[in-house]
Amino acid sequence: MPPPTAPSRSELVDHLVRTRIAGDVATPRENNLNHYRGLANGDRHYWLGLELGDRWRDEQDVLAVMAERAGVSDDPAHRSGQDTIDPELTVDALDRAALRLRKAAAASERVLLATGHPGALLDLHGSVAGALRRAGCDIVRVPLGVFADKGVIVQFAGVAVYELGASLWHTHSPAPMHAILGALTEAGEPLPDLVFADHGWAGCAAERGIDTVGFADSNDPALFLAEAEGTLAVTVPLDDHVVNPLHYEPMTQYLLTAAGLAD
């Protein structure tokens, strides 16, 4: 079966809204604000492997960045109910990510891909890994026996994921990426030129100074703050676990086509 045709920008925007990858997303306003408050109060669970210091101690400053970069409501009086991700901002970020992937392909860069959302985003990351490999990039192989958070790091289709008890787990922890980078160094292998990942996997890599493209939901502000500060190259806002992972396929095809990597 031939790969699906990439949607136009307007078609993708419509699709993102229809599938609730963006637009009126499932993540409620209360959850968003709770996470913004936790980050501002110094809870490192919400820092996703980044070192934010004292720069984001005001919850309203965090909200302002999230309104600008993810499209959540900027009204501080809006405390409950529906919140949003602006689909135009999602596509804008995909376009920026595509430029970075195009650069990686042109230079045959060494790229590490990882996801903490294997139930939703594994195929997206795997498709990117395959396209980069075909373009001549060196897809990083994680050394055997890399452990973190009582689990082990494994790879599928070139994508690092977290396994515990013979199951792949959802995790926002930066520990798996920290362990991978440490294992590469110990093995005498070069670190990646680019990391393509999400959540704590992306935050940890960016904090180490590695050029990073990340994905994050509207309740995970740290990567957006890192992009605003210039620590992280691109953060794509999206609902990171909609009901059907196939809904991410048009977005993936749009990204690969924009990057010149589509079949």
Short mmCIF file of all heavy atoms in Angstrom, two decimals, residues 44-115:
data_model
loop_
_atom_site.label_atom_id
_atom_site.label_comp_id
_atom_site.label_asym_id
_atom_site.label_seq_id
_atom_site.Cartn_x
_atom_site.Cartn_y
_atom_site.Cartn_z
N ARG A 44 10.20 19.55 40.53
CA ARG A 44 11.03 19.09 39.41
C ARG A 44 10.34 18.04 38.54
O ARG A 44 10.79 17.79 37.43
CB ARG A 44 12.38 18.59 39.92
CG ARG A 44 13.27 19.75 40.35
CD ARG A 44 14.61 19.27 40.88
NE ARG A 44 15.48 20.40 41.14
CZ ARG A 44 16.37 20.88 40.27
NH1 ARG A 44 16.49 20.31 39.09
NH2 ARG A 44 17.12 21.91 40.58
N HIS A 45 9.29 17.45 39.05
CA HIS A 45 8.52 16.53 38.21
C HIS A 45 8.05 17.23 36.94
O HIS A 45 7.95 16.60 35.88
CB HIS A 45 7.32 16.00 39.00
CG HIS A 45 6.37 15.18 38.19
ND1 HIS A 45 6.63 13.87 37.81
CD2 HIS A 45 5.15 15.48 37.66
CE1 HIS A 45 5.63 13.41 37.08
NE2 HIS A 45 4.72 14.35 36.97
N TYR A 46 7.76 18.52 37.06
CA TYR A 46 7.25 19.29 35.93
C TYR A 46 8.36 19.98 35.13
O TYR A 46 8.07 20.61 34.11
CB TYR A 46 6.24 20.33 36.41
CG TYR A 46 5.06 19.71 37.11
CD1 TYR A 46 4.86 19.88 38.48
CD2 TYR A 46 4.15 18.93 36.42
CE1 TYR A 46 3.79 19.30 39.13
CE2 TYR A 46 3.07 18.34 37.06
CZ TYR A 46 2.90 18.53 38.42
OH TYR A 46 1.84 17.93 39.05
N TRP A 47 9.61 19.86 35.56
CA TRP A 47 10.70 20.50 34.84
C TRP A 47 11.22 19.65 33.68
O TRP A 47 11.97 20.14 32.84
CB TRP A 47 11.85 20.81 35.80
CG TRP A 47 11.56 21.94 36.75
CD1 TRP A 47 10.34 22.47 37.08
CD2 TRP A 47 12.53 22.68 37.49
NE1 TRP A 47 10.49 23.48 38.00
CE2 TRP A 47 11.82 23.64 38.27
CE3 TRP A 47 13.92 22.64 37.60
CZ2 TRP A 47 12.46 24.54 39.12
CZ3 TRP A 47 14.56 23.53 38.45
CH2 TRP A 47 13.83 24.47 39.19
N LEU A 48 10.85 18.37 33.65
CA LEU A 48 11.16 17.48 32.52
C LEU A 48 12.65 17.44 32.18
O LEU A 48 13.04 17.42 31.02
CB LEU A 48 10.35 17.88 31.28
CG LEU A 48 8.83 17.86 31.43
CD1 LEU A 48 8.16 18.26 30.12
CD2 LEU A 48 8.32 16.51 31.90
N GLY A 49 13.47 17.40 33.21
CA GLY A 49 14.91 17.28 33.00
C GLY A 49 15.64 18.57 32.75
O GLY A 49 16.86 18.57 32.59
N LEU A 50 14.93 19.67 32.69
CA LEU A 50 15.54 20.98 32.48
C LEU A 50 15.89 21.63 33.82
O LEU A 50 15.27 21.32 34.85
CB LEU A 50 14.58 21.90 31.70
CG LEU A 50 14.34 21.45 30.26
CD1 LEU A 50 12.99 21.93 29.77
CD2 LEU A 50 15.46 21.98 29.36
N GLU A 51 16.86 22.52 33.80
CA GLU A 51 17.22 23.28 35.00
C GLU A 51 16.70 24.70 34.82
O GLU A 51 17.33 25.52 34.14
CB GLU A 51 18.74 23.26 35.21
CG GLU A 51 19.28 21.90 35.60
CD GLU A 51 18.71 21.38 36.90
OE1 GLU A 51 18.42 22.19 37.81
OE2 GLU A 51 18.53 20.15 37.02
N LEU A 52 15.55 24.97 35.40
CA LEU A 52 14.87 26.25 35.17
C LEU A 52 15.23 27.30 36.22
O LEU A 52 14.86 28.47 36.06
CB LEU A 52 13.35 26.03 35.16
CG LEU A 52 12.86 25.05 34.08
CD1 LEU A 52 11.36 24.83 34.21
CD2 LEU A 52 13.21 25.56 32.69
N GLY A 53 15.95 26.89 37.26
CA GLY A 53 16.37 27.85 38.27
C GLY A 53 15.20 28.62 38.86
O GLY A 53 14.14 28.07 39.15
N ASP A 54 15.41 29.92 39.04
CA ASP A 54 14.36 30.78 39.59
C ASP A 54 13.70 31.64 38.51
O ASP A 54 13.04 32.62 38.83
CB ASP A 54 14.97 31.72 40.65
CG ASP A 54 15.48 30.96 41.86
OD1 ASP A 54 14.84 29.95 42.23
OD2 ASP A 54 16.52 31.35 42.43
N ARG A 55 13.85 31.25 37.26
CA ARG A 55 13.42 32.12 36.18
C ARG A 55 11.91 32.08 35.94
O ARG A 55 11.38 32.99 35.29
CB ARG A 55 14.16 31.74 34.89
CG ARG A 55 15.67 31.88 35.00
CD ARG A 55 16.35 31.65 33.66
NE ARG A 55 16.17 30.33 33.13
CZ ARG A 55 16.89 29.26 33.48
NH1 ARG A 55 17.82 29.38 34.42
NH2 ARG A 55 16.69 28.08 32.91
N TRP A 56 11.23 31.05 36.43
CA TRP A 56 9.80 30.89 36.13
C TRP A 56 9.01 30.68 37.41
O TRP A 56 8.23 29.75 37.53
CB TRP A 56 9.60 29.74 35.16
CG TRP A 56 10.30 29.97 33.86
CD1 TRP A 56 11.49 29.49 33.46
CD2 TRP A 56 9.84 30.81 32.79
NE1 TRP A 56 11.83 29.95 32.21
CE2 TRP A 56 10.83 30.77 31.77
CE3 TRP A 56 8.69 31.59 32.58
CZ2 TRP A 56 10.69 31.47 30.57
CZ3 TRP A 56 8.56 32.28 31.40
CH2 TRP A 56 9.55 32.22 30.41
N ARG A 57 9.23 31.55 38.38
CA ARG A 57 8.58 31.42 39.69
C ARG A 57 7.17 32.01 39.71
O ARG A 57 6.44 31.82 40.67
CB ARG A 57 9.42 32.09 40.77
CG ARG A 57 10.74 31.39 41.07
CD ARG A 57 10.54 29.96 41.50
NE ARG A 57 11.74 29.35 42.02
CZ ARG A 57 11.87 28.08 42.34
NH1 ARG A 57 10.84 27.26 42.16
NH2 ARG A 57 13.01 27.60 42.81
N ASP A 58 6.81 32.73 38.66
CA ASP A 58 5.47 33.34 38.60
C ASP A 58 4.60 32.50 37.67
O ASP A 58 4.88 32.38 36.47
CB ASP A 58 5.57 34.77 38.09
CG ASP A 58 4.25 35.53 38.19
OD1 ASP A 58 3.17 34.89 38.16
OD2 ASP A 58 4.28 36.77 38.29
N GLU A 59 3.55 31.92 38.22
CA GLU A 59 2.65 31.08 37.42
C GLU A 59 2.07 31.84 36.22
O GLU A 59 1.85 31.25 35.15
CB GLU A 59 1.51 30.58 38.32
CG GLU A 59 0.46 29.76 37.62
CD GLU A 59 -0.71 29.45 38.54
OE1 GLU A 59 -0.59 29.63 39.77
OE2 GLU A 59 -1.76 29.00 38.02
N GLN A 60 1.87 33.13 36.36
CA GLN A 60 1.30 33.92 35.27
C GLN A 60 2.29 34.07 34.11
O GLN A 60 1.88 34.16 32.95
CB GLN A 60 0.85 35.29 35.78
CG GLN A 60 -0.23 35.23 36.84
CD GLN A 60 -1.41 34.36 36.40
OE1 GLN A 60 -1.91 34.49 35.29
NE2 GLN A 60 -1.86 33.49 37.29
N ASP A 61 3.58 34.09 34.43
CA ASP A 61 4.59 34.11 33.35
C ASP A 61 4.56 32.81 32.56
O ASP A 61 4.70 32.82 31.33
CB ASP A 61 5.98 34.33 33.95
CG ASP A 61 6.18 35.73 34.52
OD1 ASP A 61 5.40 36.63 34.15
OD2 ASP A 61 7.11 35.90 35.33
N VAL A 62 4.39 31.70 33.27
CA VAL A 62 4.29 30.41 32.59
C VAL A 62 3.05 30.38 31.70
O VAL A 62 3.11 29.96 30.53
CB VAL A 62 4.24 29.26 33.62
CG1 VAL A 62 4.09 27.91 32.92
CG2 VAL A 62 5.48 29.27 34.51
N LEU A 63 1.93 30.85 32.24
CA LEU A 63 0.70 30.90 31.45
C LEU A 63 0.87 31.75 30.20
O LEU A 63 0.39 31.38 29.12
CB LEU A 63 -0.44 31.45 32.31
CG LEU A 63 -1.78 31.67 31.60
CD1 LEU A 63 -2.32 30.37 31.02
CD2 LEU A 63 -2.80 32.29 32.56
N ALA A 64 1.56 32.87 30.31
CA ALA A 64 1.75 33.75 29.16
C ALA A 64 2.52 33.05 28.05
O ALA A 64 2.18 33.18 26.86
CB ALA A 64 2.47 35.03 29.59
N VAL A 65 3.56 32.30 28.41
CA VAL A 65 4.33 31.56 27.40
C VAL A 65 3.47 30.46 26.77
O VAL A 65 3.50 30.25 25.55
CB VAL A 65 5.61 30.96 28.01
CG1 VAL A 65 6.29 30.01 27.04
CG2 VAL A 65 6.57 32.07 28.41
N MET A 66 2.68 29.78 27.59
CA MET A 66 1.85 28.71 27.06
C MET A 66 0.75 29.25 26.14
O MET A 66 0.37 28.60 25.16
CB MET A 66 1.24 27.91 28.21
CG MET A 66 2.27 27.12 28.99
SD MET A 66 3.26 26.01 27.94
CE MET A 66 1.99 24.88 27.38
N ALA A 67 0.26 30.42 26.43
CA ALA A 67 -0.71 31.05 25.53
C ALA A 67 -0.05 31.41 24.21
O ALA A 67 -0.63 31.21 23.13
CB ALA A 67 -1.31 32.29 26.20
N GLU A 68 1.18 31.92 24.29
CA GLU A 68 1.90 32.34 23.08
C GLU A 68 2.33 31.16 22.22
O GLU A 68 2.22 31.21 21.00
CB GLU A 68 3.12 33.15 23.48
CG GLU A 68 4.01 33.55 22.31
CD GLU A 68 5.33 34.18 22.75
OE1 GLU A 68 5.68 34.10 23.94
OE2 GLU A 68 6.00 34.73 21.87
N ARG A 69 2.80 30.08 22.85
CA ARG A 69 3.45 29.01 22.10
C ARG A 69 2.60 27.75 21.93
O ARG A 69 2.89 26.94 21.05
CB ARG A 69 4.78 28.64 22.79
CG ARG A 69 5.78 29.78 22.69
CD ARG A 69 7.12 29.44 23.29
NE ARG A 69 8.05 30.55 23.07
CZ ARG A 69 8.86 30.66 22.03
NH1 ARG A 69 8.89 29.71 21.11
NH2 ARG A 69 9.66 31.71 21.90
N ALA A 70 1.56 27.59 22.76
CA ALA A 70 0.69 26.43 22.61
C ALA A 70 -0.75 26.82 22.30
O ALA A 70 -1.51 26.00 21.80
CB ALA A 70 0.73 25.57 23.87
N GLY A 71 -1.11 28.06 22.61
CA GLY A 71 -2.46 28.51 22.28
C GLY A 71 -3.50 28.23 23.34
O GLY A 71 -4.71 28.21 23.04
N VAL A 72 -3.07 28.00 24.59
CA VAL A 72 -4.06 27.89 25.66
C VAL A 72 -4.66 29.28 25.92
O VAL A 72 -4.11 30.31 25.49
CB VAL A 72 -3.45 27.32 26.95
CG1 VAL A 72 -2.80 25.97 26.70
CG2 VAL A 72 -2.43 28.28 27.58
N SER A 73 -5.76 29.31 26.63
CA SER A 73 -6.39 30.60 26.95
C SER A 73 -5.44 31.45 27.79
O SER A 73 -4.83 30.95 28.75
CB SER A 73 -7.69 30.37 27.72
OG SER A 73 -8.20 31.59 28.23
N ASP A 74 -5.33 32.72 27.44
CA ASP A 74 -4.44 33.61 28.20
C ASP A 74 -5.17 34.33 29.33
O ASP A 74 -4.59 35.20 29.98
CB ASP A 74 -3.79 34.64 27.27
CG ASP A 74 -4.80 35.57 26.61
OD1 ASP A 74 -6.02 35.39 26.81
OD2 ASP A 74 -4.36 36.47 25.86
N ASP A 75 -6.43 33.98 29.57
CA ASP A 75 -7.24 34.64 30.59
C ASP A 75 -6.96 34.01 31.95
O ASP A 75 -7.35 32.86 32.20
CB ASP A 75 -8.71 34.49 30.25
CG ASP A 75 -9.63 35.18 31.26
OD1 ASP A 75 -9.10 35.81 32.20
OD2 ASP A 75 -10.86 35.08 31.10
N PRO A 76 -6.30 34.72 32.88
CA PRO A 76 -6.00 34.13 34.18
C PRO A 76 -7.25 33.84 35.01
O PRO A 76 -7.19 33.05 35.96
CB PRO A 76 -5.11 35.18 34.86
CG PRO A 76 -5.42 36.46 34.16
CD PRO A 76 -5.76 36.09 32.75
N ALA A 77 -8.37 34.45 34.64
CA ALA A 77 -9.62 34.19 35.36
C ALA A 77 -10.30 32.90 34.89
O ALA A 77 -11.24 32.43 35.52
CB ALA A 77 -10.57 35.37 35.19
N HIS A 78 -9.83 32.36 33.77
CA HIS A 78 -10.39 31.10 33.26
C HIS A 78 -9.72 29.97 34.03
O HIS A 78 -8.60 29.57 33.72
CB HIS A 78 -10.13 30.98 31.76
CG HIS A 78 -10.60 29.70 31.14
ND1 HIS A 78 -11.75 29.05 31.53
CD2 HIS A 78 -10.06 28.93 30.16
CE1 HIS A 78 -11.91 27.96 30.82
NE2 HIS A 78 -10.89 27.85 29.98
N ARG A 79 -10.41 29.43 35.02
CA ARG A 79 -9.81 28.48 35.95
C ARG A 79 -10.27 27.04 35.76
O ARG A 79 -9.67 26.13 36.33
CB ARG A 79 -10.12 28.90 37.40
CG ARG A 79 -9.81 30.34 37.75
CD ARG A 79 -8.35 30.68 37.60
NE ARG A 79 -7.48 29.91 38.46
CZ ARG A 79 -6.14 30.01 38.44
NH1 ARG A 79 -5.55 30.84 37.59
NH2 ARG A 79 -5.40 29.27 39.25
N SER A 80 -11.33 26.81 35.00
CA SER A 80 -11.84 25.45 34.88
C SER A 80 -12.53 25.26 33.54
O SER A 80 -12.84 26.24 32.85
CB SER A 80 -12.82 25.14 36.02
OG SER A 80 -13.95 25.97 35.94
N GLY A 81 -12.73 23.99 33.18
CA GLY A 81 -13.43 23.69 31.95
C GLY A 81 -12.50 23.45 30.77
O GLY A 81 -11.39 22.95 30.92
N GLN A 82 -12.96 23.85 29.59
CA GLN A 82 -12.25 23.58 28.34
C GLN A 82 -11.02 24.46 28.18
O GLN A 82 -11.04 25.63 28.51
CB GLN A 82 -13.18 23.82 27.15
CG GLN A 82 -12.58 23.52 25.80
CD GLN A 82 -12.28 22.05 25.62
OE1 GLN A 82 -13.17 21.22 25.77
NE2 GLN A 82 -11.03 21.72 25.33
N ASP A 83 -9.94 23.84 27.68
CA ASP A 83 -8.78 24.62 27.26
C ASP A 83 -8.41 24.16 25.85
O ASP A 83 -8.97 23.19 25.33
CB ASP A 83 -7.60 24.47 28.21
CG ASP A 83 -6.74 25.74 28.29
OD1 ASP A 83 -6.83 26.56 27.35
OD2 ASP A 83 -5.99 25.89 29.27
N THR A 84 -7.50 24.88 25.24
CA THR A 84 -7.25 24.67 23.81
C THR A 84 -5.76 24.60 23.50
O THR A 84 -4.91 25.07 24.27
CB THR A 84 -7.85 25.82 22.98
OG1 THR A 84 -7.27 27.05 23.42
CG2 THR A 84 -9.36 25.88 23.15
N ILE A 85 -5.46 24.01 22.35
CA ILE A 85 -4.17 24.14 21.67
C ILE A 85 -4.48 24.72 20.30
O ILE A 85 -5.38 24.24 19.61
CB ILE A 85 -3.46 22.78 21.54
CG1 ILE A 85 -3.01 22.27 22.90
CG2 ILE A 85 -2.26 22.88 20.59
CD1 ILE A 85 -2.41 20.87 22.88
N ASP A 86 -3.77 25.75 19.93
CA ASP A 86 -4.01 26.40 18.65
C ASP A 86 -3.43 25.53 17.53
O ASP A 86 -2.20 25.36 17.47
CB ASP A 86 -3.36 27.79 18.64
CG ASP A 86 -3.66 28.59 17.39
OD1 ASP A 86 -4.04 27.98 16.36
OD2 ASP A 86 -3.49 29.82 17.42
N PRO A 87 -4.25 24.99 16.64
CA PRO A 87 -3.71 24.12 15.59
C PRO A 87 -2.75 24.83 14.65
O PRO A 87 -1.85 24.19 14.08
CB PRO A 87 -4.97 23.63 14.85
CG PRO A 87 -6.00 24.68 15.12
CD PRO A 87 -5.71 25.15 16.51
N GLU A 88 -2.91 26.14 14.48
CA GLU A 88 -1.98 26.88 13.64
C GLU A 88 -0.59 26.88 14.26
O GLU A 88 0.42 26.79 13.54
CB GLU A 88 -2.47 28.31 13.44
CG GLU A 88 -3.81 28.43 12.73
CD GLU A 88 -3.72 28.16 11.23
OE1 GLU A 88 -2.58 28.04 10.71
OE2 GLU A 88 -4.78 28.07 10.59
N LEU A 89 -0.53 26.96 15.59
CA LEU A 89 0.77 26.90 16.27
C LEU A 89 1.38 25.51 16.15
O LEU A 89 2.60 25.37 16.04
CB LEU A 89 0.62 27.30 17.73
CG LEU A 89 0.24 28.76 18.00
CD1 LEU A 89 0.07 29.00 19.49
CD2 LEU A 89 1.28 29.71 17.42
N THR A 90 0.54 24.49 16.18
CA THR A 90 1.03 23.12 15.99
C THR A 90 1.69 22.99 14.62
O THR A 90 2.81 22.46 14.50
CB THR A 90 -0.11 22.11 16.13
OG1 THR A 90 -0.72 22.24 17.42
CG2 THR A 90 0.39 20.68 15.96
N VAL A 91 1.03 23.47 13.58
CA VAL A 91 1.57 23.35 12.23
C VAL A 91 2.80 24.24 12.07
O VAL A 91 3.79 23.85 11.42
CB VAL A 91 0.50 23.66 11.18
CG1 VAL A 91 1.08 23.52 9.77
CG2 VAL A 91 -0.70 22.73 11.34
N ASP A 92 2.79 25.42 12.66
CA ASP A 92 3.98 26.28 12.63
C ASP A 92 5.19 25.54 13.21
O ASP A 92 6.31 25.58 12.66
CB ASP A 92 3.75 27.56 13.43
CG ASP A 92 2.84 28.55 12.73
OD1 ASP A 92 2.59 28.40 11.53
OD2 ASP A 92 2.36 29.49 13.41
N ALA A 93 4.97 24.86 14.35
CA ALA A 93 6.06 24.13 14.99
C ALA A 93 6.50 22.94 14.14
O ALA A 93 7.70 22.63 14.06
CB ALA A 93 5.64 23.67 16.39
N LEU A 94 5.56 22.26 13.50
CA LEU A 94 5.93 21.18 12.59
C LEU A 94 6.79 21.69 11.45
O LEU A 94 7.74 21.02 11.02
CB LEU A 94 4.67 20.51 12.04
CG LEU A 94 3.86 19.66 13.02
CD1 LEU A 94 2.53 19.27 12.39
CD2 LEU A 94 4.63 18.42 13.47
N ASP A 95 6.48 22.88 10.95
CA ASP A 95 7.29 23.47 9.88
C ASP A 95 8.71 23.75 10.37
O ASP A 95 9.69 23.52 9.64
CB ASP A 95 6.64 24.75 9.38
CG ASP A 95 5.40 24.51 8.54
OD1 ASP A 95 5.24 23.39 8.00
OD2 ASP A 95 4.58 25.45 8.42
N ARG A 96 8.84 24.23 11.60
CA ARG A 96 10.18 24.48 12.15
C ARG A 96 10.92 23.16 12.37
O ARG A 96 12.12 23.05 12.12
CB ARG A 96 10.09 25.26 13.47
CG ARG A 96 9.49 26.65 13.33
CD ARG A 96 9.77 27.53 14.54
NE ARG A 96 9.28 26.97 15.80
CZ ARG A 96 8.04 27.09 16.24
NH1 ARG A 96 7.12 27.73 15.51
NH2 ARG A 96 7.69 26.59 17.41
N ALA A 97 10.19 22.16 12.86
CA ALA A 97 10.80 20.84 13.04
C ALA A 97 11.27 20.27 11.71
O ALA A 97 12.34 19.64 11.62
CB ALA A 97 9.81 19.89 13.71
N ALA A 98 10.48 20.47 10.66
CA ALA A 98 10.84 19.98 9.34
C ALA A 98 12.14 20.60 8.85
O ALA A 98 12.99 19.92 8.25
CB ALA A 98 9.71 20.26 8.35
N LEU A 99 12.32 21.88 9.10
CA LEU A 99 13.58 22.54 8.71
C LEU A 99 14.77 21.90 9.42
O LEU A 99 15.84 21.70 8.83
CB LEU A 99 13.50 24.03 9.03
CG LEU A 99 12.58 24.87 8.15
CD1 LEU A 99 12.50 26.30 8.68
CD2 LEU A 99 13.06 24.86 6.70
N ARG A 100 14.57 21.56 10.71
CA ARG A 100 15.68 20.94 11.45
C ARG A 100 15.96 19.53 10.95
O ARG A 100 17.12 19.09 10.86
CB ARG A 100 15.36 20.93 12.96
CG ARG A 100 16.53 20.45 13.83
CD ARG A 100 17.75 21.32 13.64
NE ARG A 100 18.96 20.78 14.28
CZ ARG A 100 19.78 19.88 13.72
NH1 ARG A 100 19.53 19.41 12.50
NH2 ARG A 100 20.85 19.47 14.37
N LEU A 101 14.92 18.79 10.59
CA LEU A 101 15.11 17.46 10.03
C LEU A 101 15.79 17.53 8.66
O LEU A 101 16.63 16.69 8.33
CB LEU A 101 13.78 16.73 9.92
CG LEU A 101 13.09 16.35 11.23
CD1 LEU A 101 11.76 15.69 10.94
CD2 LEU A 101 13.97 15.44 12.08
N ARG A 102 15.42 18.53 7.88
CA ARG A 102 16.05 18.71 6.57
C ARG A 102 17.55 18.96 6.73
O ARG A 102 18.38 18.42 5.98
CB ARG A 102 15.38 19.87 5.83
CG ARG A 102 15.81 20.05 4.40
CD ARG A 102 15.10 21.25 3.78
NE ARG A 102 13.69 20.99 3.52
CZ ARG A 102 13.22 20.47 2.39
NH1 ARG A 102 14.04 20.17 1.41
NH2 ARG A 102 11.92 20.29 2.25
N LYS A 103 17.90 19.77 7.72
CA LYS A 103 19.32 20.04 8.00
C LYS A 103 20.04 18.76 8.42
O LYS A 103 21.16 18.49 7.98
CB LYS A 103 19.43 21.09 9.11
CG LYS A 103 20.85 21.37 9.56
CD LYS A 103 20.86 22.36 10.73
CE LYS A 103 22.27 22.56 11.27
NZ LYS A 103 22.28 23.46 12.44
N ALA A 104 19.38 17.95 9.26
CA ALA A 104 19.99 16.70 9.71
C ALA A 104 20.25 15.77 8.54
O ALA A 104 21.31 15.13 8.44
CB ALA A 104 19.08 16.02 10.73
N ALA A 105 19.28 15.68 7.63
CA ALA A 105 19.44 14.80 6.47
C ALA A 105 20.55 15.30 5.56
O ALA A 105 21.36 14.51 5.05
CB ALA A 105 18.12 14.72 5.71
N ALA A 106 20.62 16.61 5.35
CA ALA A 106 21.64 17.17 4.45
C ALA A 106 23.05 16.92 4.96
O ALA A 106 23.99 16.74 4.17
CB ALA A 106 21.39 18.66 4.27
N ALA A 107 23.18 16.91 6.30
CA ALA A 107 24.51 16.74 6.89
C ALA A 107 24.77 15.31 7.36
O ALA A 107 25.80 15.04 7.97
CB ALA A 107 24.67 17.70 8.08
N SER A 108 23.84 14.37 7.06
CA SER A 108 23.96 12.97 7.51
C SER A 108 24.27 12.91 9.01
O SER A 108 25.20 12.22 9.45
CB SER A 108 25.04 12.24 6.71
OG SER A 108 24.72 12.23 5.33
N GLU A 109 23.49 13.64 9.78
CA GLU A 109 23.76 13.75 11.20
C GLU A 109 23.46 12.45 11.95
O GLU A 109 22.75 11.56 11.47
CB GLU A 109 22.93 14.89 11.80
CG GLU A 109 23.41 16.27 11.40
CD GLU A 109 22.65 17.39 12.09
OE1 GLU A 109 21.53 17.15 12.60
OE2 GLU A 109 23.18 18.51 12.10
N ARG A 110 23.99 12.41 13.15
CA ARG A 110 23.73 11.32 14.09
C ARG A 110 22.51 11.73 14.93
O ARG A 110 22.54 12.77 15.62
CB ARG A 110 24.97 11.12 14.95
CG ARG A 110 24.93 10.00 15.97
CD ARG A 110 26.32 9.78 16.53
NE ARG A 110 26.33 9.01 17.75
CZ ARG A 110 26.27 7.68 17.79
NH1 ARG A 110 26.17 7.01 16.66
NH2 ARG A 110 26.31 7.05 18.95
N VAL A 111 21.44 10.93 14.88
CA VAL A 111 20.16 11.32 15.47
C VAL A 111 19.68 10.25 16.44
O VAL A 111 19.71 9.05 16.13
CB VAL A 111 19.09 11.55 14.39
CG1 VAL A 111 17.79 12.08 15.03
CG2 VAL A 111 19.59 12.53 13.33
N LEU A 112 19.22 10.68 17.59
CA LEU A 112 18.62 9.80 18.59
C LEU A 112 17.14 10.14 18.69
O LEU A 112 16.78 11.31 18.88
CB LEU A 112 19.30 9.98 19.95
CG LEU A 112 18.67 9.26 21.14
CD1 LEU A 112 18.67 7.75 20.93
CD2 LEU A 112 19.41 9.62 22.43
N LEU A 113 16.28 9.14 18.58
CA LEU A 113 14.84 9.32 18.68
C LEU A 113 14.34 8.54 19.89
O LEU A 113 14.78 7.41 20.16
CB LEU A 113 14.13 8.86 17.41
CG LEU A 113 14.55 9.58 16.14
CD1 LEU A 113 15.58 8.78 15.37
CD2 LEU A 113 13.36 9.91 15.26
N ALA A 114 13.39 9.15 20.62
CA ALA A 114 12.87 8.51 21.83
C ALA A 114 11.48 9.05 22.13
O ALA A 114 11.17 10.20 21.83
CB ALA A 114 13.80 8.78 23.02
N THR A 115 10.66 8.20 22.74
CA THR A 115 9.33 8.66 23.16
C THR A 115 8.93 8.07 24.49
O THR A 115 9.17 6.89 24.77
CB THR A 115 8.25 8.32 22.11
OG1 THR A 115 6.99 8.83 22.56
CG2 THR A 115 8.14 6.83 21.85
#
